[in-house]
Amino acid sequence: MEILAFGVQADEQPLLERAFAGHHEVRCLDVFLNQDTAPIATGYEVISTSVNADLDGRVLETLAAGGTRMIAQRSTGFNNIDLAAAERLGLTVARVSYYSPYSVAEFAWTLAMAVNRRVVRASTRTRDFDFRLDGLMGRDMHGRTAGVLGTGKIGEAFTRIAHGFGMRLLGWDIAENPACGELGMKYVPKEQLLAESDLVTLHVPLMAQTRHLIDAAALKSMKDDAILVNSSRGGLIDTAALVDELRAGRFTGVGLDVYEAEAGLFFLDRSLQAIEDDTLARLVTFPNVLVTSHQAYYTEDAVGQIIETTVGNVLDYRAGRRSENVLVPRS
């Protein structure tokens, strides 16, 4: 059987082909799955998709009509999939429920330290042989307060690093993580965490209850000199409200690896095209903002685990097995 994989990055393709070798053939495409590209999947029983795929009802109907029966998403998040429509159409859907939490946690810290110590500005200056220190002053993390919204595996990994810095630890989640408690984390209401934290980091999934978790009111409750980092999902932050606060001169730094309207932009080269998204265009102009293109997960370790699990999901589907990765079971 040949599997069609959408949205495959150049670094990812040899890993994907190697992992499927001896099991099934895989055809890798660099285009993302959406309404326009869905007809390409005609005749493929199994497809694999990336986190930026658009799997709404219309796309799923096109896939089902073309003979697709199984979707193996190469990500943990699945907010881009209409699961109810998939079940109605008899499509099996699986995801990657776990991969290295250190990849995202370490990158979140990379963003935090980069904006704190003005690394991008310093690098740009030295390329022009400008070695002044004006405007490059940062702050010690030691002794300051880290607020972690979401203390699952990734939030715990972030907390362990924060503990290593010697920070005061505040956490917020629907359930407390004992491992974080052992590190000295104090669980508090979200409002208190935002008001007291020097560094706020987001590690919660995107769902109806968490969309715009950081809205205008939440942003206003944060310290004027706080650092905000989001390496989870863009929809957790009301970006328009964030731009308003930045225009008012607030926040030491903001590090964003995700953006709520990133579909159709992230993972693609748009350098020769006009960006029609005024909010994003404004966001990247602020000197205290660093935006990266959803790369926090992108390490050899994490991508290797994602691919290994994806292969396992396809083999389970073919064998009629069901694992914890299955979101919609085989009908």
PDB file of all heavy atoms in Angstrom, residues 17 23-24 36 49 69 73 107 137 146 187 238 245 250 270 287-288 312 328:
ATOM      1  N   GLU A  17      10.462   8.364   5.036  1.00  0.00           N
ATOM      2  CA  GLU A  17      10.652   7.284   4.070  1.00  0.00           C
ATOM      3  C   GLU A  17      11.383   6.106   4.702  1.00  0.00           C
ATOM      4  O   GLU A  17      11.047   4.938   4.459  1.00  0.00           O
ATOM      5  CB  GLU A  17      11.415   7.812   2.860  1.00  0.00           C
ATOM      6  CG  GLU A  17      10.605   8.809   2.036  1.00  0.00           C
ATOM      7  CD  GLU A  17      11.419   9.461   0.934  1.00  0.00           C
ATOM      8  OE1 GLU A  17      12.667   9.429   1.007  1.00  0.00           O
ATOM      9  OE2 GLU A  17      10.808  10.013  -0.004  1.00  0.00           O
ATOM     10  N   HIS A  23       7.531  -1.627   5.310  1.00  0.00           N
ATOM     11  CA  HIS A  23       6.120  -1.734   5.673  1.00  0.00           C
ATOM     12  C   HIS A  23       5.229  -1.309   4.511  1.00  0.00           C
ATOM     13  O   HIS A  23       4.478  -2.109   3.972  1.00  0.00           O
ATOM     14  CB  HIS A  23       5.819  -0.859   6.900  1.00  0.00           C
ATOM     15  CG  HIS A  23       6.615  -1.184   8.119  1.00  0.00           C
ATOM     16  ND1 HIS A  23       6.481  -2.378   8.792  1.00  0.00           N
ATOM     17  CD2 HIS A  23       7.548  -0.473   8.784  1.00  0.00           C
ATOM     18  CE1 HIS A  23       7.299  -2.399   9.826  1.00  0.00           C
ATOM     19  NE2 HIS A  23       7.962  -1.247   9.853  1.00  0.00           N
ATOM     20  N   HIS A  24       5.335  -0.051   4.142  1.00  0.00           N
ATOM     21  CA  HIS A  24       4.522   0.503   3.062  1.00  0.00           C
ATOM     22  C   HIS A  24       5.338   1.552   2.316  1.00  0.00           C
ATOM     23  O   HIS A  24       6.296   2.117   2.852  1.00  0.00           O
ATOM     24  CB  HIS A  24       3.240   1.145   3.614  1.00  0.00           C
ATOM     25  CG  HIS A  24       2.351   0.207   4.364  1.00  0.00           C
ATOM     26  ND1 HIS A  24       1.630  -0.786   3.755  1.00  0.00           N
ATOM     27  CD2 HIS A  24       2.085   0.104   5.700  1.00  0.00           C
ATOM     28  CE1 HIS A  24       0.937  -1.452   4.665  1.00  0.00           C
ATOM     29  NE2 HIS A  24       1.206  -0.937   5.857  1.00  0.00           N
ATOM     30  N   ASP A  36      -8.352  22.810  -1.471  1.00  0.00           N
ATOM     31  CA  ASP A  36      -7.797  22.825  -2.820  1.00  0.00           C
ATOM     32  C   ASP A  36      -6.939  21.597  -3.119  1.00  0.00           C
ATOM     33  O   ASP A  36      -6.898  21.129  -4.255  1.00  0.00           O
ATOM     34  CB  ASP A  36      -6.952  24.084  -3.028  1.00  0.00           C
ATOM     35  CG  ASP A  36      -7.788  25.358  -2.998  1.00  0.00           C
ATOM     36  OD1 ASP A  36      -8.971  25.295  -3.379  1.00  0.00           O
ATOM     37  OD2 ASP A  36      -7.268  26.397  -2.578  1.00  0.00           O
ATOM     38  N   THR A  49      -1.100  13.690   7.731  1.00  0.00           N
ATOM     39  CA  THR A  49      -1.203  15.136   7.661  1.00  0.00           C
ATOM     40  C   THR A  49      -0.347  15.802   8.726  1.00  0.00           C
ATOM     41  O   THR A  49       0.006  15.191   9.731  1.00  0.00           O
ATOM     42  CB  THR A  49      -2.662  15.586   7.851  1.00  0.00           C
ATOM     43  OG1 THR A  49      -3.145  15.103   9.113  1.00  0.00           O
ATOM     44  CG2 THR A  49      -3.535  15.051   6.735  1.00  0.00           C
ATOM     45  N   ARG A  69      -9.685   6.256   3.992  1.00  0.00           N
ATOM     46  CA  ARG A  69     -10.343   5.649   5.143  1.00  0.00           C
ATOM     47  C   ARG A  69      -9.605   5.909   6.456  1.00  0.00           C
ATOM     48  O   ARG A  69     -10.169   5.706   7.524  1.00  0.00           O
ATOM     49  CB  ARG A  69     -10.483   4.135   4.926  1.00  0.00           C
ATOM     50  CG  ARG A  69     -11.412   3.758   3.795  1.00  0.00           C
ATOM     51  CD  ARG A  69     -12.842   4.144   4.119  1.00  0.00           C
ATOM     52  NE  ARG A  69     -13.765   3.933   2.991  1.00  0.00           N
ATOM     53  CZ  ARG A  69     -14.137   4.873   2.156  1.00  0.00           C
ATOM     54  NH1 ARG A  69     -13.664   6.113   2.293  1.00  0.00           N
ATOM     55  NH2 ARG A  69     -14.990   4.612   1.176  1.00  0.00           N
ATOM     56  N   GLN A  73      -2.414  11.838  11.689  1.00  0.00           N
ATOM     57  CA  GLN A  73      -1.872  13.189  11.863  1.00  0.00           C
ATOM     58  C   GLN A  73      -0.549  13.131  12.623  1.00  0.00           C
ATOM     59  O   GLN A  73      -0.449  12.488  13.656  1.00  0.00           O
ATOM     60  CB  GLN A  73      -2.860  14.085  12.603  1.00  0.00           C
ATOM     61  CG  GLN A  73      -2.299  15.471  12.898  1.00  0.00           C
ATOM     62  CD  GLN A  73      -3.261  16.595  12.619  1.00  0.00           C
ATOM     63  OE1 GLN A  73      -3.740  16.759  11.501  1.00  0.00           O
ATOM     64  NE2 GLN A  73      -3.553  17.374  13.624  1.00  0.00           N
ATOM     65  N   PHE A 107      12.700  25.082  23.733  1.00  0.00           N
ATOM     66  CA  PHE A 107      12.545  26.179  22.775  1.00  0.00           C
ATOM     67  C   PHE A 107      11.795  27.348  23.403  1.00  0.00           C
ATOM     68  O   PHE A 107      12.084  28.506  23.109  1.00  0.00           O
ATOM     69  CB  PHE A 107      11.811  25.711  21.518  1.00  0.00           C
ATOM     70  CG  PHE A 107      11.922  26.686  20.377  1.00  0.00           C
ATOM     71  CD1 PHE A 107      13.058  26.722  19.586  1.00  0.00           C
ATOM     72  CD2 PHE A 107      10.905  27.587  20.110  1.00  0.00           C
ATOM     73  CE1 PHE A 107      13.178  27.643  18.548  1.00  0.00           C
ATOM     74  CE2 PHE A 107      11.009  28.503  19.069  1.00  0.00           C
ATOM     75  CZ  PHE A 107      12.157  28.529  18.296  1.00  0.00           C
ATOM     76  N   MET A 137      20.304  45.754  27.652  1.00  0.00           N
ATOM     77  CA  MET A 137      20.296  45.281  29.037  1.00  0.00           C
ATOM     78  C   MET A 137      19.122  44.346  29.294  1.00  0.00           C
ATOM     79  O   MET A 137      17.979  44.650  28.978  1.00  0.00           O
ATOM     80  CB  MET A 137      20.238  46.453  30.011  1.00  0.00           C
ATOM     81  CG  MET A 137      20.332  46.027  31.474  1.00  0.00           C
ATOM     82  SD  MET A 137      20.383  47.440  32.609  1.00  0.00           S
ATOM     83  CE  MET A 137      22.065  48.040  32.282  1.00  0.00           C
ATOM     84  N   ALA A 146       8.317  32.662  37.672  1.00  0.00           N
ATOM     85  CA  ALA A 146       7.859  32.046  36.425  1.00  0.00           C
ATOM     86  C   ALA A 146       6.441  31.539  36.626  1.00  0.00           C
ATOM     87  O   ALA A 146       6.163  30.780  37.561  1.00  0.00           O
ATOM     88  CB  ALA A 146       8.773  30.898  36.023  1.00  0.00           C
ATOM     89  N   TYR A 187       0.373  26.310  43.163  1.00  0.00           N
ATOM     90  CA  TYR A 187      -0.743  26.470  42.242  1.00  0.00           C
ATOM     91  C   TYR A 187      -1.658  27.596  42.738  1.00  0.00           C
ATOM     92  O   TYR A 187      -2.045  27.622  43.910  1.00  0.00           O
ATOM     93  CB  TYR A 187      -1.519  25.163  42.107  1.00  0.00           C
ATOM     94  CG  TYR A 187      -0.848  24.179  41.171  1.00  0.00           C
ATOM     95  CD1 TYR A 187       0.152  23.334  41.632  1.00  0.00           C
ATOM     96  CD2 TYR A 187      -1.191  24.136  39.823  1.00  0.00           C
ATOM     97  CE1 TYR A 187       0.793  22.443  40.780  1.00  0.00           C
ATOM     98  CE2 TYR A 187      -0.562  23.246  38.951  1.00  0.00           C
ATOM     99  CZ  TYR A 187       0.428  22.410  39.437  1.00  0.00           C
ATOM    100  OH  TYR A 187       1.066  21.539  38.577  1.00  0.00           O
ATOM    101  N   ASP A 238      -5.215  36.411  22.309  1.00  0.00           N
ATOM    102  CA  ASP A 238      -5.912  37.375  21.455  1.00  0.00           C
ATOM    103  C   ASP A 238      -4.838  38.299  20.883  1.00  0.00           C
ATOM    104  O   ASP A 238      -4.396  39.237  21.540  1.00  0.00           O
ATOM    105  CB  ASP A 238      -6.932  38.150  22.281  1.00  0.00           C
ATOM    106  CG  ASP A 238      -7.732  39.137  21.441  1.00  0.00           C
ATOM    107  OD1 ASP A 238      -7.283  39.496  20.338  1.00  0.00           O
ATOM    108  OD2 ASP A 238      -8.803  39.565  21.908  1.00  0.00           O
ATOM    109  N   GLU A 245      -1.492  46.256  23.458  1.00  0.00           N
ATOM    110  CA  GLU A 245      -0.652  46.420  24.648  1.00  0.00           C
ATOM    111  C   GLU A 245       0.782  46.754  24.264  1.00  0.00           C
ATOM    112  O   GLU A 245       1.445  47.563  24.920  1.00  0.00           O
ATOM    113  CB  GLU A 245      -0.698  45.152  25.506  1.00  0.00           C
ATOM    114  CG  GLU A 245      -2.071  44.832  26.085  1.00  0.00           C
ATOM    115  CD  GLU A 245      -2.616  45.971  26.926  1.00  0.00           C
ATOM    116  OE1 GLU A 245      -1.902  46.439  27.838  1.00  0.00           O
ATOM    117  OE2 GLU A 245      -3.756  46.408  26.649  1.00  0.00           O
ATOM    118  N   ARG A 250       4.113  48.235  26.555  1.00  0.00           N
ATOM    119  CA  ARG A 250       4.171  47.261  27.645  1.00  0.00           C
ATOM    120  C   ARG A 250       4.976  46.016  27.260  1.00  0.00           C
ATOM    121  O   ARG A 250       5.155  45.726  26.084  1.00  0.00           O
ATOM    122  CB  ARG A 250       2.753  46.857  28.066  1.00  0.00           C
ATOM    123  CG  ARG A 250       1.918  48.048  28.542  1.00  0.00           C
ATOM    124  CD  ARG A 250       0.615  47.586  29.156  1.00  0.00           C
ATOM    125  NE  ARG A 250       0.869  46.825  30.381  1.00  0.00           N
ATOM    126  CZ  ARG A 250       0.273  45.663  30.657  1.00  0.00           C
ATOM    127  NH1 ARG A 250      -0.560  45.130  29.794  1.00  0.00           N
ATOM    128  NH2 ARG A 250       0.536  45.047  31.793  1.00  0.00           N
ATOM    129  N   ARG A 270       7.017  33.030   2.159  1.00  0.00           N
ATOM    130  CA  ARG A 270       6.200  34.153   1.695  1.00  0.00           C
ATOM    131  C   ARG A 270       7.049  35.416   1.544  1.00  0.00           C
ATOM    132  O   ARG A 270       6.508  36.528   1.505  1.00  0.00           O
ATOM    133  CB  ARG A 270       5.065  34.417   2.694  1.00  0.00           C
ATOM    134  CG  ARG A 270       4.095  33.259   2.891  1.00  0.00           C
ATOM    135  CD  ARG A 270       3.358  32.947   1.620  1.00  0.00           C
ATOM    136  NE  ARG A 270       2.221  32.057   1.855  1.00  0.00           N
ATOM    137  CZ  ARG A 270       1.562  31.439   0.888  1.00  0.00           C
ATOM    138  NH1 ARG A 270       1.930  31.622  -0.373  1.00  0.00           N
ATOM    139  NH2 ARG A 270       0.554  30.645   1.170  1.00  0.00           N
ATOM    140  N   PRO A 287      10.284  45.857  18.381  1.00  0.00           N
ATOM    141  CA  PRO A 287      11.650  45.412  18.672  1.00  0.00           C
ATOM    142  C   PRO A 287      11.747  44.421  19.828  1.00  0.00           C
ATOM    143  O   PRO A 287      12.759  43.732  19.965  1.00  0.00           O
ATOM    144  CB  PRO A 287      12.380  46.721  19.018  1.00  0.00           C
ATOM    145  CG  PRO A 287      11.300  47.638  19.499  1.00  0.00           C
ATOM    146  CD  PRO A 287      10.095  47.293  18.687  1.00  0.00           C
ATOM    147  N   ASN A 288      10.707  44.348  20.655  1.00  0.00           N
ATOM    148  CA  ASN A 288      10.725  43.421  21.788  1.00  0.00           C
ATOM    149  C   ASN A 288       9.919  42.153  21.529  1.00  0.00           C
ATOM    150  O   ASN A 288       9.587  41.418  22.457  1.00  0.00           O
ATOM    151  CB  ASN A 288      10.191  44.121  23.056  1.00  0.00           C
ATOM    152  CG  ASN A 288       8.789  44.671  22.867  1.00  0.00           C
ATOM    153  OD1 ASN A 288       8.363  44.967  21.756  1.00  0.00           O
ATOM    154  ND2 ASN A 288       8.063  44.813  23.968  1.00  0.00           N
ATOM    155  N   GLY A 312       3.469   3.439  13.512  1.00  0.00           N
ATOM    156  CA  GLY A 312       2.744   2.507  14.364  1.00  0.00           C
ATOM    157  C   GLY A 312       1.241   2.655  14.247  1.00  0.00           C
ATOM    158  O   GLY A 312       0.498   1.662  14.246  1.00  0.00           O
ATOM    159  N   VAL A 328     -10.652   8.767  16.421  1.00  0.00           N
ATOM    160  CA  VAL A 328     -11.894   8.214  15.881  1.00  0.00           C
ATOM    161  C   VAL A 328     -11.585   6.792  15.449  1.00  0.00           C
ATOM    162  O   VAL A 328     -10.752   6.579  14.557  1.00  0.00           O
ATOM    163  CB  VAL A 328     -12.413   9.032  14.677  1.00  0.00           C
ATOM    164  CG1 VAL A 328     -13.710   8.407  14.136  1.00  0.00           C
ATOM    165  CG2 VAL A 328     -12.650  10.485  15.066  1.00  0.00           C
TER     166      VAL A 328
END
